[in-house]
Amino acid sequence: NIVMTQSPKSMSISVGDRVTMNCKASQNVYNNIAWYQQKPGQSPKLLIYYASNRYNGVPDRFTGSGYGTDFTLTINSVQAEDAAFYYCQRIYNSPFTFGSGTKLEIK
Amino acid sequence: QVQLKESGPGLVQPSQTLSLTCTVSGFSLTSNSVHWVRQPPGKGLEWVGAIWSGGSTDYNSALKSRLSISRDTSKSQVFLKMNSLQTEDTAIYFCTRCRPLQGFFDYWGQGVMVTVSS
């Protein structure tokens, strides 16, 4: 079974900073990766699909990159409302495994 | 517009069977797949399983022996049944739509909290 490993587990960033978080797949998933944002008490929201495509209405400060086994989500000029958990997920094929998440806190 | 809503009992006794319903609107189950995802309190997301547009199913291998997903297309409902429940199955259970031919989850229900306890 495929394993998705996210790092770091948490990070604390100031408003206006740039943040990068990582997702590593245990086998080649090509570009079949999505990123979701989840705030406390809410359902996950799709940010990025196929590794680098921004979903409808997602601010352009969110950028995804990577291919194969290594993927990155970058948030440029972090805003206070970006405080959340971020999850990567292998998509398109079963099993649709999620990573364990990265918690982003705003100082 | 696309909507999904989960319903079911909030409390289930250990060793009993969990039955959840996902009622959808704004799209057809015969041309879209619906997945279940769960989240234990304070923990991450776990893919549970799916029912595809043609009616076939896929399950998380760790849950497969206890899990069944079915649907009633006339009522726009998807059902999850999981037997032999344990405390580790305590979680928020979400249903979500997988965009056809694209494989990502674009719409989610609000989730339903299920507690396994005697």
Side-chain angles (χ1 to χ4, degrees):
Chain A
N1 264 350
I2 194 165
V3 176
M4 308 298 292
T5 302
Q6 287 187 246
S7 62
K9 288 193 186 310
S10 66
M11 48 195 351
S12 184
I13 304 294
S14 298
V15 170
D17 284 354
R18 176 180 176 179
V19 62
T20 298
M21 57 189 76
N22 303 299
C23 175
K24 188 173 184 66
S26 61
Q27 62 191 65
N28 187 356
V29 294
Y30 306 94
N31 68 337
N32 294 325
I33 287 290
W35 291 91
Y36 300 85
Q37 177 193 66
Q38 187 183 31
K39 297 182 180 180
Q42 296 185 14
S43 306
K45 288 183 169 58
L46 178 66
L47 296 174
I48 302 286
Y49 62 95
Y50 292 150
S52 61
N53 293 273
R54 214 172 285 117
Y55 186 58
N56 300 340
V58 174
D60 60 7
R61 64 180 181 272
F62 291 90
T63 302
S65 63
Y67 188 88
T69 60
D70 292 288
F71 301 89
T72 298
L73 177 68
T74 299
I75 311 173
N76 287 305
S77 189
V78 166
Q79 302 299 300
E81 62 263 30
D82 299 336
F85 282 87
Y86 293 84
Y87 295 93
C88 65
Q89 183 200 21
R90 185 262 192 108
I91 59 171
Y92 199 75
N93 288 307
S94 180
F96 290 72
T97 307
F98 288 92
S100 54
T102 291
K103 182 180 182 180
L104 177 62
E105 292 179 317
I106 309 300
K107 291 177 186 173
Chain B
Q1 70 277 29
V2 173
Q3 291 185 320
L4 303 94
K5 186 170 184 179
E6 307 87 348
S7 58
L11 180 65
V12 181
Q13 301 225 343
S15 79
Q16 297 302 302
T17 297
L18 171 65
S19 295
L20 296 176
T21 299
C22 175
T23 302
V24 311
S25 59
F27 67 95
S28 170
L29 294 177
T30 57
S31 51
N32 292 263
S33 63
V34 170
H35 295 236
W36 290 93
V37 174
R38 70 179 184 177
Q39 184 170 39
K43 295 190 177 181
L45 303 169
E46 180 182 29
W47 178 73
V48 172
I51 187 160
W52 298 97
S53 57
S56 62
T57 53
D58 257 324
Y59 300 133
N60 183 319
S61 59
L63 304 171
K64 188 172 185 175
S65 63
R66 302 192 289 132
L67 186 62
S68 174
I69 298 175
S70 59
R71 68 184 185 182
D72 183 333
T73 57
S74 67
K75 294 183 178 179
S76 294
Q77 291 181 323
V78 174
F79 309 106
L80 177 149
K81 287 192 189 308
M82 185 183 300
N83 59 31
S84 303
L85 246 58
Q86 304 171 20
T87 54
E88 306 87 85
D89 297 310
T90 293
I92 299 173
Y93 286 74
F94 299 97
C95 59
T96 173
R97 185 189 82 157
C98 185
R99 181 169 286 196
L101 303 179
Q102 301 206 345
F104 53 80
F105 299 173
D106 56 356
Y107 289 91
W108 294 68
Q110 64 191 20
V112 60
M113 180 68 205
V114 174
T115 301
V116 181
S117 175
S118 54

